[in-house]
Amino acid sequence: MQRQFDITLELKTDAINIYDLNSIKLQADVILKNIENQINKCSQWKSSKEQPLSLNTTQNTRIQQQDRQWSTSINKKIQQPRPFSALSGVGTRIKRFEDAKDKQKIESQQQIIDKCPLPQKPPKSALALNQLCNQELIMGNFKLETILGSGSFAMVRLGIDKNSKEKYAIKIYEKIKLNDSQKMNNVKREISILKRIEHQNIIKLYWAIEDKKSINLVMEYISSQSLASYIKSKPNRILPEKECLSLFYQIAMAIKYLHDLNICHRDIKLDNVLMMKTNVVKLIDFGFAICMPLNQKTNVFCGTPHYMSPEIIAKVPHHPASSDIWSLGILLSRMITGEYPFKGQNDKDLYRQIQCQKVKTNQDKKINENVMRVINGCLEKNVQNRWSIDQVINDPVFHKDILIPSVKVF
């Protein structure tokens, strides 16, 4: 009977599902229950096997000793400090199984990785410098002379072709200042946009040249006089109305050309308009320019404070074409009155005025109501009600006894 019990215990132990600890606990309870049943059976067996008093003393003593030894053996198996005494060695087997399972998982993952194709190099962007820049020219072909202008990231210098003696305006970006991908992408975008456009009232890019230290934009040379400096040279810094409208209309036509190509300038101001001796103007500096379809919007904060629109200041999503129209309204007001329509003691105060105050003009300076209509249309704070570029150039004020230079599109 003792052997039969040992076999049963071993079979129950081996049958334990070592994959699940909860299953182990459940089956341990079953084993303990079986042990109790076995003990009860043993007790019954002992009662049924008791010998009569007629047996001799030696036989009776031997039977009692055997019973005591058998009972002691059972007690050693079941009377342990913890209920899992019958599961000795299970923890080791579980550990071996988990290690084998982890190894199998790692091998399976490695097989999947081995089957995957190696990552391909991404195709070169359309804005790659080696595609945008001229590979045949070098900056050694030009003699750099006076500085025509400078900004945070670039300097414009007069460049003279050593062979033809032609003059060019060369915008030089030092690579050391283009220290992040965003600045470099802005330069690439500027080159890409300038290469797409040709208009009588927009500066022309001839070549882009890259060397080890700089990226150079070789553009047509106009003059060193901006519209801002030209207006400052006039009495009271005000232009006669007809001349003002003629110059403004040329700028508006340049913006019309850009908007038809889904290009927005985003930094229209007097300093970014150059004057020619023939009174033809050229829009320059496309550092903030962007190509954006009409169904897209942006909330990028950029431009020059006095010319910024309310939506740029508020950083709300908008199409930048509407902000170009706002800047045109500021430009026209500045040209016709000699002052900005919004003023502030600092940028924060200026931004508050732009967002909250109505357009104000000096009452001492009488402004043609037709001109004022254009200014108000451009400076409408509600983007939905603000004029489009077509409304600006088609306004009757630009078609009454005003000499407008013909706009030639190449």
Side-chain angles (χ1 to χ4, degrees):
M1 182 65 188
Q2 180 179 359
R3 183 179 178 184
Q4 180 182 358
F5 174 78
D6 289 340
I7 293 173
T8 302
L9 183 61
E10 289 176 1
L11 289 175
K12 292 292 184 180
T13 303
D14 291 338
I16 293 173
N17 179 6
I18 65 174
Y19 303 99
D20 187 352
L21 185 58
N22 291 329
S23 177
I24 291 174
K25 293 179 179 179
L26 291 175
Q27 295 200 32
D29 292 337
V30 173
I31 292 172
L32 293 175
K33 185 65 176 178
N34 289 338
I35 291 174
E36 292 177 357
N37 293 335
Q38 293 289 349
I39 292 174
N40 292 333
K41 290 180 180 181
C42 291
S43 298
Q44 295 175 2
W45 178 79
K46 287 171 63 179
S47 298
S48 63
K49 293 297 182 181
E50 287 182 350
Q51 299 295 327
L53 292 175
S54 62
L55 291 175
N56 60 51
T57 305
T58 304
Q59 290 177 334
N60 191 35
T61 302
R62 182 170 53 82
I63 292 172
Q64 290 178 355
Q65 288 177 350
Q66 289 178 352
D67 290 344
R68 283 197 298 271
Q69 290 176 357
W70 185 78
S71 298
T72 302
S73 176
I74 292 177
N75 290 335
K76 286 182 180 180
K77 290 183 179 293
I78 63 175
Q79 293 180 358
Q80 296 295 331
R82 290 183 297 179
F84 289 94
S85 59
L87 305 179
S88 59
V90 172
T92 304
R93 279 180 284 173
I94 293 175
K95 183 65 169 61
R96 283 202 304 268
F97 170 75
E98 289 178 347
D99 291 344
K101 189 174 181 181
D102 290 341
K103 182 178 179 181
Q104 183 180 5
K105 184 177 180 181
I106 294 172
E107 291 176 350
S108 177
Q109 291 176 345
Q110 186 62 45
Q111 290 176 359
I112 295 174
I113 294 173
D114 293 340
K115 292 179 181 179
C116 293
L118 293 175
Q120 301 294 324
K121 291 184 179 180
K124 291 184 178 180
S125 169
L127 296 179
L129 271 178
N130 61 350
Q131 296 177 3
L132 294 171
C133 295
N134 189 291
Q135 304 299 316
E136 298 175 357
L137 292 176
I138 59 173
M139 285 305 296
N141 294 345
F142 302 91
K143 180 183 178 182
L144 298 179
E145 297 194 347
T146 58
I147 297 175
L148 303 177
S150 60
S152 301
F153 306 109
M155 175 187 300
V156 181
R157 297 186 65 174
L158 174 64
I160 301 178
D161 189 297
K162 294 180 180 179
N163 296 322
S164 65
K165 307 303 179 184
E166 287 286 335
K167 292 182 178 180
Y168 297 94
I170 302 179
K171 188 174 186 179
I172 304 171
Y173 284 99
E174 294 183 11
K175 288 183 176 180
I176 194 173
K177 294 182 179 180
L178 306 176
N179 50 14
D180 62 54
S181 60
Q182 184 60 50
K183 293 175 184 176
M184 180 63 76
N185 287 336
N186 288 344
V187 175
K188 293 177 183 179
R189 187 175 61 210
E190 179 181 4
I191 298 172
S192 178
I193 288 175
L194 285 171
K195 288 171 75 72
R196 290 178 55 192
I197 56 182
E198 285 197 43
H199 190 276
Q200 176 177 318
N201 299 120
I202 299 176
I203 197 75
K204 178 177 176 57
L205 173 69
Y206 290 109
W207 310 287
I209 303 173
E210 180 189 14
D211 57 28
K212 292 182 179 180
K213 295 184 178 181
S214 62
I215 301 171
N216 308 274
L217 280 60
V218 182
M219 299 176 287
E220 64 176 320
Y221 173 72
I222 305 300
S223 68
S224 59
Q225 187 176 37
S226 66
L227 184 54
S229 61
Y230 176 73
I231 292 176
K232 288 179 182 179
S233 67
K234 298 297 180 179
N236 299 321
R237 299 184 175 185
I238 298 175
L239 296 177
E241 183 178 300
K242 287 187 177 181
E243 183 183 12
C244 172
L245 294 177
S246 174
L247 296 175
F248 177 83
Y249 185 78
Q250 294 179 64
I251 300 169
M253 288 300 294
I255 298 302
K256 159 70 174 172
Y257 171 80
L258 293 174
H259 285 191
D260 286 346
L261 296 175
N262 290 331
I263 297 172
C264 302
H265 189 277
R266 300 203 295 181
D267 197 19
I268 300 168
K269 58 183 179 181
L270 293 175
D271 293 297
N272 283 343
V273 180
L274 294 183
M275 288 285 300
M276 297 179 69
K277 294 179 180 179
T278 57
N279 255 22
V280 172
V281 298
K282 298 271 188 178
L283 184 63
I284 66 170
D285 198 349
F286 282 71
F288 286 135
I290 189 172
C291 184
M292 182 173 289
L294 291 175
N295 61 349
Q296 294 184 12
K297 294 183 178 182
T298 181
N299 61 350
V300 174
F301 185 87
C302 66
T304 302
H306 274 104
Y307 295 85
M308 285 184 180
S309 65
E311 59 269 20
I312 287 181
I313 294 170
K315 298 181 182 179
V316 296
H318 64 281
H319 192 278
S322 61
S323 297
D324 278 355
I325 301 300
W326 177 277
S327 298
L328 285 177
I330 300 292
L331 192 90
L332 179 55
S333 179
R334 177 72 174 79
M335 292 169 68
I336 203 76
T337 68
E339 298 177 350
Y340 291 109
F342 302 101
K343 299 177 182 178
Q345 296 180 352
N346 49 51
D347 284 350
K348 184 177 180 180
D349 185 33
L350 173 62
Y351 295 154
R352 185 181 61 81
Q353 296 286 334
I354 291 173
Q355 289 182 295
C356 303
Q357 298 299 320
K358 293 182 179 181
V359 179
K360 294 181 180 180
T361 58
N362 193 327
Q363 298 298 327
D364 297 333
K365 299 174 181 178
K366 295 182 179 179
I367 303 176
N368 185 327
E369 61 180 9
N370 294 323
V371 176
M372 200 65 212
R373 180 180 63 250
V374 177
I375 293 175
N376 288 332
C378 292
L379 298 183
E380 170 60 50
K381 295 186 189 297
N382 188 333
V383 177
Q384 302 300 325
N385 297 331
R386 192 176 303 162
W387 282 16
S388 67
I389 190 61
D390 288 325
Q391 288 176 282
V392 173
I393 63 175
N394 290 326
D395 191 88
V397 73
F398 297 112
H399 305 282
K400 292 181 179 180
D401 302 325
I402 297 176
L403 179 61
I404 305 294
S406 60
V407 177
K408 180 181 178 182
V409 181
F410 297 92

